[in-house]
């Protein structure tokens, strides 16, 4: 009423109240309970299929290489009797365990004089002379036999003395399979994350856990920014979070994919500030503009600017890898400057222009027609790529070239077979390829081994029991099941809410 007094209820209000009370009766409560139970059942089923309970652990490799030079300086100049030591650090993650080893050797050991030094195969800018060296796998891209022999000696050079590195963990160790194992560009940090929803940041200085973040969903992938100031991780709910290194602030949501699993995340240099690449199960890759360092964790949704979407795969995108090209190489390219590679469940490798979201060569995709892409490794000089295919011991060798200013992919062939089928591969700075594979034992257990150029390296093995290592593969998890119309109709008919609806109709 206008005078502020409460108006008396009318007959219409009474009828509305009765209808409302009838609507909130036992039938509505049963339907609501059924919907909740159905949602719980679907979540549990989806969790068993997509969450990781039935997914077998995957062997991951990570390489930390920090050459150490001990020089005798006399009168401000280097001594002729220069002594050098080089150390290579690599690790493997399998299940809930992480093992890291350091190999130290004297550069004079196993060498053959100055002709065997690594710098002889390098250009003035520190990159490998790709015009005169051989591709990975023994395929030569030129007639320079001297450089080919030098590269072969580099690959067969002994690693040196092996030392086990003990990791100092906090009170929250991993209890679920690790799905991400990455190192920062400056070599000071590495990250592990997985099905237990934990994201652990480790410091190489002291090999200790610097921070543990408890996420709300299971982590599917993680990476570092090119400046090594932030680390980024994605979960199976389709959300990407960023966290600042050296800060205790909570992670900030950067972006999200709608109702899908993010399969891989990668940060690359390019454009004005760089790009954030996120691949998902829905056959696409999103290219977002990477925010400035001060804006990455300042507010939620810090990466709203979408540069492009990349569509072309007919199945899920399993991995995204950048291509790092020396400046002298990019000068020969015309319009395409920022490119990256993707591999997918359709057994194809494609190269994309990050700016436009289109393939650099629409008809130049490498299709293997069989198997699914597990991982892609790019060499530091950016001219050769190694591709690991599921359950295949031989790696595919892809050459990156350009024709009339347009970058193209060319399949060279397959290299020699490795001891085990590699599940994760990585090139180090000396163009030597590392990888991890899984060996089946007679008692049903499985052992993850680390390999260097296809040969198992002694001293680093991770063994899981048959129960711990059982489950379907990650690729089978991401592969969508094709359902016929008849199966879809049967599933709809067996849903609890549809059964309750049919029962109410029969009662009436």
């Amino acid at each position: 009423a206008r005078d502020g007094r409460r108006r008396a209820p009318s007959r219409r209000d009474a009828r509305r109240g009765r209808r409302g009370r009838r609507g909130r009766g036992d039938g509505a409560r049963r339907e609501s309970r059924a919907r909740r139970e159905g949602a719980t059942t679907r979540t549990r089923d989806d969790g068993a299929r997509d969450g990781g309970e039935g997914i077998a652990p995957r062997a991951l490799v990570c390489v930390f290489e920090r050459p150490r030079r001990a020089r005798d300086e006399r009168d401000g100049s280097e001594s002729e009797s220069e002594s050098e030591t080089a150390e290579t650090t690599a690790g493997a993650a399998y299940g809930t365990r992480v093992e890291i080893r350091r190999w130290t050797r004297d550069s004079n050991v196993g060498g053959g004089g100055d002709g065997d030094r690594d710098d002889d195969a390098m250009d003035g800018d520190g990159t490998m002379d790709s015009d005169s060296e051989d591709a990975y796998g023994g395929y030569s891209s030129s007639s320079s036999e001297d450089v080919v022999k030098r590269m072969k000696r580099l690959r067969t050079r002994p690693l040196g003395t092996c030392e086990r590195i003990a990791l100092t963990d906090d009170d929250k160790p991993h209890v679920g399979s690790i799905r991400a194992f990455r190192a920062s560009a400056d070599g000071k940090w590495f990250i592990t994350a997985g099905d237990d929803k934990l994201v652990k940041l480790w410091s190489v200085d002291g090999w200790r856990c610097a921070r543990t973040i408890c996420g709300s969903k299971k982590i599917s992938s993680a990476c570092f920014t090119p400046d090594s100031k932030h680390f980024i991780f994605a979960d199976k709910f389709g959300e990407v979070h960023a966290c600042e290194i050296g800060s205790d602030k909570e992670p900030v949501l950067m972006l999200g994919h709608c109702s899908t699993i993010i399969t891989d995340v990668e940060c690359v240099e390019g454009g004005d500030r760089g790009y954030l690449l996120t691949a998902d199960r829905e056959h696409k890759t999103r290219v977002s503009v990477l925010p400035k360092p001060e804006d990455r964790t300042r507010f939620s949704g810090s990466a709203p600017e979408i540069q492009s979407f990349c569509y072309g795969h007919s199945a899920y995108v399993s991995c995204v890898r950048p291509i790092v090209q020396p400046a002298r190489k990019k000068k020969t390219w015309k319009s395409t400057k920022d490119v990256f590679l993707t591999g997918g469940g359709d057994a194809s490798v494609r190269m994309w222009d990050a700016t436009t979201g289109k393939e650099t060569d629409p008809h130049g995709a490498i299709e293997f027609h069989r198997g699914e892409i597990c991982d892609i490794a790019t060499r530091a000089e950016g001219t050769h790529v190694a591709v690991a295919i599921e359950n295949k011991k031989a790696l595919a060798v892809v050459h990156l070239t350009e024709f009339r200013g347009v970058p193209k992919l060319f399949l060279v062939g397959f290299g020699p077979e490795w001891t085990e089928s590699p599940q994760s591969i990585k090139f180090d700075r000396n163009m030597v390829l590392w990888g991890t594979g899984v060996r089946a034992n007679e008692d049903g257990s499985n052992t993850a081994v680390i390999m260097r150029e296809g040969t198992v390296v002694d001293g680093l093995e991770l063994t899981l029991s048959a129960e711990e290592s059982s489950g379907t593969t990650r690729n089978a998890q991401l592969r969508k099941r094709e359902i016929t119309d008849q199966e879809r109709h049967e599933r709809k008919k067996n849903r609890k809410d549809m059964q309750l609806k049919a029962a109410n109709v029969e009662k009436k």
Side-chain angles (χ1 to χ4, degrees), residues 168-205:
T168 304
D169 204 348
D170 56 10
D171 57 348
K172 294 180 180 178
H174 279 293
V175 294
S177 296
I178 297 174
R179 304 297 178 183
F181 185 27
R182 303 287 294 273
S184 61
D186 58 4
K188 297 180 180 179
W189 308 90
F190 71 95
I191 190 173
T192 57
D195 290 341
D196 53 6
K197 307 178 185 179
L198 295 181
V199 182
K200 301 180 75 67
L201 177 67
W202 302 79
S203 174
V204 175
D205 184 13

mmCIF file of all heavy atoms in Angstrom, residues 168-205:
data_model
loop_
_atom_site.group_PDB
_atom_site.id
_atom_site.type_symbol
_atom_site.label_atom_id
_atom_site.label_comp_id
_atom_site.label_asym_id
_atom_site.label_seq_id
_atom_site.Cartn_x
_atom_site.Cartn_y
_atom_site.Cartn_z
ATOM 1 N N THR A 168 65.042 -32.558 -1.345
ATOM 2 C CA THR A 168 64.488 -32.265 -0.019
ATOM 3 C C THR A 168 63.051 -31.789 -0.193
ATOM 4 O O THR A 168 62.809 -30.677 -0.663
ATOM 5 C CB THR A 168 65.322 -31.191 0.699
ATOM 6 O OG1 THR A 168 66.691 -31.626 0.765
ATOM 7 C CG2 THR A 168 64.788 -30.958 2.097
ATOM 8 N N ASP A 169 62.114 -32.644 0.180
ATOM 9 C CA ASP A 169 60.688 -32.340 0.017
ATOM 10 C C ASP A 169 60.132 -31.738 1.303
ATOM 11 O O ASP A 169 60.749 -31.784 2.370
ATOM 12 C CB ASP A 169 59.926 -33.602 -0.362
ATOM 13 C CG ASP A 169 58.632 -33.303 -1.106
ATOM 14 O OD1 ASP A 169 58.220 -32.132 -1.122
ATOM 15 O OD2 ASP A 169 58.041 -34.237 -1.660
ATOM 16 N N ASP A 170 58.918 -31.194 1.201
ATOM 17 C CA ASP A 170 58.240 -30.667 2.378
ATOM 18 C C ASP A 170 57.301 -31.725 2.930
ATOM 19 O O ASP A 170 57.432 -32.913 2.627
ATOM 20 C CB ASP A 170 57.509 -29.366 2.046
ATOM 21 C CG ASP A 170 56.530 -29.541 0.886
ATOM 22 O OD1 ASP A 170 56.297 -30.699 0.476
ATOM 23 O OD2 ASP A 170 55.996 -28.533 0.393
ATOM 24 N N ASP A 171 56.344 -31.303 3.743
ATOM 25 C CA ASP A 171 55.440 -32.261 4.385
ATOM 26 C C ASP A 171 54.272 -32.663 3.500
ATOM 27 O O ASP A 171 53.349 -33.340 3.975
ATOM 28 C CB ASP A 171 54.911 -31.667 5.697
ATOM 29 C CG ASP A 171 54.208 -30.336 5.488
ATOM 30 O OD1 ASP A 171 54.326 -29.769 4.388
ATOM 31 O OD2 ASP A 171 53.544 -29.849 6.435
ATOM 32 N N LYS A 172 54.286 -32.268 2.225
ATOM 33 C CA LYS A 172 53.212 -32.630 1.298
ATOM 34 C C LYS A 172 53.813 -33.275 0.056
ATOM 35 O O LYS A 172 53.895 -32.647 -1.000
ATOM 36 C CB LYS A 172 52.385 -31.398 0.909
ATOM 37 C CG LYS A 172 51.613 -30.785 2.056
ATOM 38 C CD LYS A 172 50.817 -29.581 1.588
ATOM 39 C CE LYS A 172 50.037 -28.948 2.737
ATOM 40 N NZ LYS A 172 49.289 -27.746 2.301
ATOM 41 N N PRO A 173 54.240 -34.514 0.137
ATOM 42 C CA PRO A 173 54.802 -35.181 -1.045
ATOM 43 C C PRO A 173 53.698 -35.563 -2.030
ATOM 44 O O PRO A 173 52.505 -35.561 -1.707
ATOM 45 C CB PRO A 173 55.482 -36.411 -0.458
ATOM 46 C CG PRO A 173 54.682 -36.716 0.774
ATOM 47 C CD PRO A 173 54.252 -35.385 1.333
ATOM 48 N N HIS A 174 54.115 -35.906 -3.215
ATOM 49 C CA HIS A 174 53.165 -36.350 -4.236
ATOM 50 C C HIS A 174 52.583 -37.711 -3.846
ATOM 51 O O HIS A 174 53.309 -38.629 -3.460
ATOM 52 C CB HIS A 174 53.849 -36.458 -5.594
ATOM 53 C CG HIS A 174 53.992 -35.145 -6.306
ATOM 54 N ND1 HIS A 174 52.920 -34.434 -6.787
ATOM 55 C CD2 HIS A 174 55.091 -34.417 -6.622
ATOM 56 C CE1 HIS A 174 53.348 -33.335 -7.374
ATOM 57 N NE2 HIS A 174 54.672 -33.292 -7.278
ATOM 58 N N VAL A 175 51.279 -37.817 -3.968
ATOM 59 C CA VAL A 175 50.598 -39.090 -3.724
ATOM 60 C C VAL A 175 49.853 -39.570 -4.966
ATOM 61 O O VAL A 175 49.247 -40.642 -4.944
ATOM 62 C CB VAL A 175 49.629 -38.965 -2.531
ATOM 63 C CG1 VAL A 175 50.373 -38.712 -1.240
ATOM 64 C CG2 VAL A 175 48.596 -37.864 -2.772
ATOM 65 N N GLY A 176 49.867 -38.780 -6.024
ATOM 66 C CA GLY A 176 49.257 -39.153 -7.292
ATOM 67 C C GLY A 176 50.285 -39.074 -8.404
ATOM 68 O O GLY A 176 51.376 -38.507 -8.247
ATOM 69 N N SER A 177 49.949 -39.656 -9.541
ATOM 70 C CA SER A 177 50.888 -39.697 -10.667
ATOM 71 C C SER A 177 51.244 -38.290 -11.123
ATOM 72 O O SER A 177 50.384 -37.418 -11.237
ATOM 73 C CB SER A 177 50.275 -40.480 -11.831
ATOM 74 O OG SER A 177 50.067 -41.826 -11.466
ATOM 75 N N ILE A 178 52.527 -38.084 -11.390
ATOM 76 C CA ILE A 178 53.020 -36.796 -11.855
ATOM 77 C C ILE A 178 52.767 -36.694 -13.357
ATOM 78 O O ILE A 178 53.144 -37.581 -14.123
ATOM 79 C CB ILE A 178 54.520 -36.640 -11.541
ATOM 80 C CG1 ILE A 178 54.728 -36.652 -10.021
ATOM 81 C CG2 ILE A 178 55.087 -35.370 -12.155
ATOM 82 C CD1 ILE A 178 56.190 -36.654 -9.606
ATOM 83 N N ARG A 179 52.141 -35.598 -13.771
ATOM 84 C CA ARG A 179 51.798 -35.388 -15.176
ATOM 85 C C ARG A 179 52.600 -34.261 -15.819
ATOM 86 O O ARG A 179 52.541 -34.101 -17.046
ATOM 87 C CB ARG A 179 50.301 -35.084 -15.307
ATOM 88 C CG ARG A 179 49.387 -36.145 -14.715
ATOM 89 C CD ARG A 179 49.532 -37.470 -15.414
ATOM 90 N NE ARG A 179 48.681 -38.496 -14.823
ATOM 91 C CZ ARG A 179 48.660 -39.758 -15.211
ATOM 92 N NH1 ARG A 179 49.461 -40.162 -16.182
ATOM 93 N NH2 ARG A 179 47.873 -40.636 -14.614
ATOM 94 N N ALA A 180 53.307 -33.466 -15.029
ATOM 95 C CA ALA A 180 54.098 -32.354 -15.559
ATOM 96 C C ALA A 180 55.440 -32.328 -14.845
ATOM 97 O O ALA A 180 55.494 -32.420 -13.611
ATOM 98 C CB ALA A 180 53.365 -31.031 -15.390
ATOM 99 N N PHE A 181 56.506 -32.186 -15.622
ATOM 100 C CA PHE A 181 57.869 -32.156 -15.089
ATOM 101 C C PHE A 181 58.676 -31.256 -16.016
ATOM 102 O O PHE A 181 59.161 -31.686 -17.046
ATOM 103 C CB PHE A 181 58.432 -33.578 -15.041
ATOM 104 C CG PHE A 181 59.793 -33.704 -14.395
ATOM 105 C CD1 PHE A 181 60.220 -32.810 -13.431
ATOM 106 C CD2 PHE A 181 60.652 -34.739 -14.747
ATOM 107 C CE1 PHE A 181 61.457 -32.927 -12.835
ATOM 108 C CE2 PHE A 181 61.893 -34.876 -14.157
ATOM 109 C CZ PHE A 181 62.292 -33.955 -13.198
ATOM 110 N N ARG A 182 58.804 -29.985 -15.650
ATOM 111 C CA ARG A 182 59.414 -28.991 -16.524
ATOM 112 C C ARG A 182 60.443 -28.162 -15.773
ATOM 113 O O ARG A 182 60.317 -27.950 -14.563
ATOM 114 C CB ARG A 182 58.341 -28.056 -17.103
ATOM 115 C CG ARG A 182 57.235 -28.754 -17.865
ATOM 116 C CD ARG A 182 57.708 -29.261 -19.201
ATOM 117 N NE ARG A 182 58.047 -28.183 -20.095
ATOM 118 C CZ ARG A 182 57.176 -27.577 -20.895
ATOM 119 N NH1 ARG A 182 55.904 -27.933 -20.883
ATOM 120 N NH2 ARG A 182 57.586 -26.625 -21.703
ATOM 121 N N ALA A 183 61.435 -27.655 -16.492
ATOM 122 C CA ALA A 183 62.477 -26.801 -15.934
ATOM 123 C C ALA A 183 62.367 -25.408 -16.532
ATOM 124 O O ALA A 183 61.894 -25.233 -17.663
ATOM 125 C CB ALA A 183 63.863 -27.381 -16.211
ATOM 126 N N SER A 184 62.812 -24.410 -15.769
ATOM 127 C CA SER A 184 62.766 -23.026 -16.238
ATOM 128 C C SER A 184 63.912 -22.763 -17.213
ATOM 129 O O SER A 184 64.885 -23.510 -17.273
ATOM 130 C CB SER A 184 62.841 -22.065 -15.055
ATOM 131 O OG SER A 184 64.048 -22.239 -14.339
ATOM 132 N N ALA A 185 63.779 -21.671 -17.947
ATOM 133 C CA ALA A 185 64.781 -21.348 -18.964
ATOM 134 C C ALA A 185 66.125 -20.983 -18.345
ATOM 135 O O ALA A 185 67.175 -21.259 -18.936
ATOM 136 C CB ALA A 185 64.277 -20.204 -19.846
ATOM 137 N N ASP A 186 66.107 -20.373 -17.158
ATOM 138 C CA ASP A 186 67.368 -19.992 -16.531
ATOM 139 C C ASP A 186 68.012 -21.134 -15.756
ATOM 140 O O ASP A 186 69.097 -20.976 -15.200
ATOM 141 C CB ASP A 186 67.163 -18.793 -15.610
ATOM 142 C CG ASP A 186 66.135 -19.062 -14.511
ATOM 143 O OD1 ASP A 186 65.635 -20.204 -14.422
ATOM 144 O OD2 ASP A 186 65.823 -18.127 -13.758
ATOM 145 N N GLY A 187 67.341 -22.293 -15.693
ATOM 146 C CA GLY A 187 67.905 -23.447 -15.027
ATOM 147 C C GLY A 187 67.897 -23.391 -13.518
ATOM 148 O O GLY A 187 68.524 -24.242 -12.875
ATOM 149 N N LYS A 188 67.180 -22.457 -12.925
ATOM 150 C CA LYS A 188 67.178 -22.313 -11.470
ATOM 151 C C LYS A 188 65.996 -22.996 -10.806
ATOM 152 O O LYS A 188 66.010 -23.207 -9.591
ATOM 153 C CB LYS A 188 67.169 -20.832 -11.095
ATOM 154 C CG LYS A 188 68.402 -20.074 -11.548
ATOM 155 C CD LYS A 188 68.317 -18.610 -11.137
ATOM 156 C CE LYS A 188 69.557 -17.834 -11.582
ATOM 157 N NZ LYS A 188 69.475 -16.399 -11.196
ATOM 158 N N TRP A 189 64.961 -23.343 -11.572
ATOM 159 C CA TRP A 189 63.740 -23.893 -10.985
ATOM 160 C C TRP A 189 63.244 -25.046 -11.842
ATOM 161 O O TRP A 189 63.529 -25.129 -13.045
ATOM 162 C CB TRP A 189 62.643 -22.830 -10.888
ATOM 163 C CG TRP A 189 63.054 -21.569 -10.208
ATOM 164 C CD1 TRP A 189 63.591 -20.459 -10.810
ATOM 165 C CD2 TRP A 189 62.996 -21.274 -8.814
ATOM 166 N NE1 TRP A 189 63.861 -19.503 -9.870
ATOM 167 C CE2 TRP A 189 63.506 -19.979 -8.641
ATOM 168 C CE3 TRP A 189 62.563 -21.986 -7.700
ATOM 169 C CZ2 TRP A 189 63.592 -19.373 -7.395
ATOM 170 C CZ3 TRP A 189 62.642 -21.393 -6.454
ATOM 171 C CH2 TRP A 189 63.152 -20.099 -6.307
ATOM 172 N N PHE A 190 62.469 -25.918 -11.221
ATOM 173 C CA PHE A 190 61.686 -26.895 -11.965
ATOM 174 C C PHE A 190 60.404 -27.170 -11.200
ATOM 175 O O PHE A 190 60.282 -26.868 -10.005
ATOM 176 C CB PHE A 190 62.484 -28.180 -12.248
ATOM 177 C CG PHE A 190 62.749 -29.044 -11.059
ATOM 178 C CD1 PHE A 190 61.910 -30.107 -10.750
ATOM 179 C CD2 PHE A 190 63.862 -28.826 -10.255
ATOM 180 C CE1 PHE A 190 62.172 -30.924 -9.662
ATOM 181 C CE2 PHE A 190 64.123 -29.637 -9.174
ATOM 182 C CZ PHE A 190 63.277 -30.688 -8.873
ATOM 183 N N ILE A 191 59.445 -27.716 -11.912
ATOM 184 C CA ILE A 191 58.103 -27.869 -11.374
ATOM 185 C C ILE A 191 57.620 -29.289 -11.605
ATOM 186 O O ILE A 191 57.944 -29.922 -12.612
ATOM 187 C CB ILE A 191 57.143 -26.848 -12.038
ATOM 188 C CG1 ILE A 191 55.793 -26.800 -11.327
ATOM 189 C CG2 ILE A 191 56.964 -27.145 -13.500
ATOM 190 C CD1 ILE A 191 54.882 -25.709 -11.841
ATOM 191 N N THR A 192 56.877 -29.822 -10.633
ATOM 192 C CA THR A 192 56.195 -31.106 -10.769
ATOM 193 C C THR A 192 54.735 -30.916 -10.366
ATOM 194 O O THR A 192 54.440 -30.182 -9.415
ATOM 195 C CB THR A 192 56.838 -32.189 -9.886
ATOM 196 O OG1 THR A 192 56.824 -31.762 -8.515
ATOM 197 C CG2 THR A 192 58.272 -32.456 -10.314
ATOM 198 N N ALA A 193 53.844 -31.564 -11.070
ATOM 199 C CA ALA A 193 52.409 -31.447 -10.778
ATOM 200 C C ALA A 193 51.718 -32.680 -11.334
ATOM 201 O O ALA A 193 52.221 -33.330 -12.259
ATOM 202 C CB ALA A 193 51.823 -30.179 -11.391
ATOM 203 N N GLY A 194 50.554 -33.003 -10.762
ATOM 204 C CA GLY A 194 49.896 -34.210 -11.236
ATOM 205 C C GLY A 194 48.499 -34.425 -10.705
ATOM 206 O O GLY A 194 47.774 -33.484 -10.361
ATOM 207 N N ASP A 195 48.144 -35.714 -10.602
ATOM 208 C CA ASP A 195 46.775 -36.107 -10.278
ATOM 209 C C ASP A 195 46.395 -35.849 -8.831
ATOM 210 O O ASP A 195 45.212 -35.921 -8.490
ATOM 211 C CB ASP A 195 46.579 -37.598 -10.585
ATOM 212 C CG ASP A 195 46.587 -37.880 -12.077
ATOM 213 O OD1 ASP A 195 46.389 -36.922 -12.854
ATOM 214 O OD2 ASP A 195 46.811 -39.039 -12.469
ATOM 215 N N ASP A 196 47.360 -35.608 -7.964
ATOM 216 C CA ASP A 196 47.032 -35.315 -6.563
ATOM 217 C C ASP A 196 46.701 -33.844 -6.333
ATOM 218 O O ASP A 196 46.593 -33.409 -5.183
ATOM 219 C CB ASP A 196 48.192 -35.731 -5.658
ATOM 220 C CG ASP A 196 49.519 -35.130 -6.117
ATOM 221 O OD1 ASP A 196 49.506 -34.316 -7.065
ATOM 222 O OD2 ASP A 196 50.559 -35.482 -5.546
ATOM 223 N N LYS A 197 46.566 -33.080 -7.423
ATOM 224 C CA LYS A 197 46.213 -31.653 -7.384
ATOM 225 C C LYS A 197 47.299 -30.787 -6.769
ATOM 226 O O LYS A 197 47.051 -29.631 -6.444
ATOM 227 C CB LYS A 197 44.887 -31.430 -6.629
ATOM 228 C CG LYS A 197 43.726 -32.267 -7.115
ATOM 229 C CD LYS A 197 42.478 -32.025 -6.298
ATOM 230 C CE LYS A 197 41.345 -32.947 -6.710
ATOM 231 N NZ LYS A 197 40.127 -32.741 -5.896
ATOM 232 N N LEU A 198 48.490 -31.341 -6.609
ATOM 233 C CA LEU A 198 49.602 -30.583 -6.045
ATOM 234 C C LEU A 198 50.481 -30.035 -7.152
ATOM 235 O O LEU A 198 50.783 -30.735 -8.131
ATOM 236 C CB LEU A 198 50.442 -31.459 -5.112
ATOM 237 C CG LEU A 198 49.772 -31.982 -3.844
ATOM 238 C CD1 LEU A 198 50.762 -32.799 -3.031
ATOM 239 C CD2 LEU A 198 49.204 -30.848 -3.008
ATOM 240 N N VAL A 199 50.902 -28.791 -6.979
ATOM 241 C CA VAL A 199 51.870 -28.140 -7.853
ATOM 242 C C VAL A 199 53.061 -27.779 -6.979
ATOM 243 O O VAL A 199 52.945 -26.951 -6.072
ATOM 244 C CB VAL A 199 51.288 -26.891 -8.530
ATOM 245 C CG1 VAL A 199 52.320 -26.268 -9.461
ATOM 246 C CG2 VAL A 199 50.019 -27.225 -9.283
ATOM 247 N N LYS A 200 54.205 -28.394 -7.254
ATOM 248 C CA LYS A 200 55.379 -28.212 -6.405
ATOM 249 C C LYS A 200 56.469 -27.494 -7.202
ATOM 250 O O LYS A 200 56.864 -27.950 -8.282
ATOM 251 C CB LYS A 200 55.896 -29.558 -5.883
ATOM 252 C CG LYS A 200 54.856 -30.322 -5.069
ATOM 253 C CD LYS A 200 55.413 -31.643 -4.561
ATOM 254 C CE LYS A 200 56.366 -31.439 -3.412
ATOM 255 N NZ LYS A 200 55.692 -30.924 -2.203
ATOM 256 N N LEU A 201 56.930 -26.381 -6.648
ATOM 257 C CA LEU A 201 58.022 -25.613 -7.231
ATOM 258 C C LEU A 201 59.306 -25.968 -6.501
ATOM 259 O O LEU A 201 59.389 -25.861 -5.271
ATOM 260 C CB LEU A 201 57.738 -24.117 -7.128
ATOM 261 C CG LEU A 201 58.833 -23.179 -7.641
ATOM 262 C CD1 LEU A 201 58.987 -23.316 -9.153
ATOM 263 C CD2 LEU A 201 58.526 -21.734 -7.272
ATOM 264 N N TRP A 202 60.324 -26.385 -7.255
ATOM 265 C CA TRP A 202 61.585 -26.822 -6.692
ATOM 266 C C TRP A 202 62.684 -25.858 -7.090
ATOM 267 O O TRP A 202 62.706 -25.339 -8.204
ATOM 268 C CB TRP A 202 61.943 -28.221 -7.194
ATOM 269 C CG TRP A 202 60.926 -29.278 -6.892
ATOM 270 C CD1 TRP A 202 59.759 -29.503 -7.564
ATOM 271 C CD2 TRP A 202 60.980 -30.259 -5.852
ATOM 272 N NE1 TRP A 202 59.085 -30.562 -7.018
ATOM 273 C CE2 TRP A 202 59.808 -31.044 -5.957
ATOM 274 C CE3 TRP A 202 61.897 -30.549 -4.855
ATOM 275 C CZ2 TRP A 202 59.541 -32.097 -5.095
ATOM 276 C CZ3 TRP A 202 61.638 -31.602 -4.002
ATOM 277 C CH2 TRP A 202 60.473 -32.364 -4.120
ATOM 278 N N SER A 203 63.613 -25.666 -6.183
ATOM 279 C CA SER A 203 64.777 -24.825 -6.442
ATOM 280 C C SER A 203 65.981 -25.719 -6.723
ATOM 281 O O SER A 203 66.267 -26.661 -5.966
ATOM 282 C CB SER A 203 65.067 -23.915 -5.246
ATOM 283 O OG SER A 203 66.278 -23.204 -5.430
ATOM 284 N N VAL A 204 66.685 -25.434 -7.813
ATOM 285 C CA VAL A 204 67.891 -26.197 -8.140
ATOM 286 C C VAL A 204 68.996 -25.889 -7.140
ATOM 287 O O VAL A 204 69.855 -26.732 -6.876
ATOM 288 C CB VAL A 204 68.317 -25.881 -9.586
ATOM 289 C CG1 VAL A 204 69.639 -26.547 -9.935
ATOM 290 C CG2 VAL A 204 67.232 -26.321 -10.566
ATOM 291 N N ASP A 205 68.980 -24.696 -6.569
ATOM 292 C CA ASP A 205 69.951 -24.341 -5.542
ATOM 293 C C ASP A 205 69.596 -25.078 -4.249
ATOM 294 O O ASP A 205 68.721 -24.676 -3.498
ATOM 295 C CB ASP A 205 69.931 -22.830 -5.313
ATOM 296 C CG ASP A 205 70.999 -22.382 -4.325
ATOM 297 O OD1 ASP A 205 71.886 -23.195 -4.019
ATOM 298 O OD2 ASP A 205 70.922 -21.230 -3.853
#
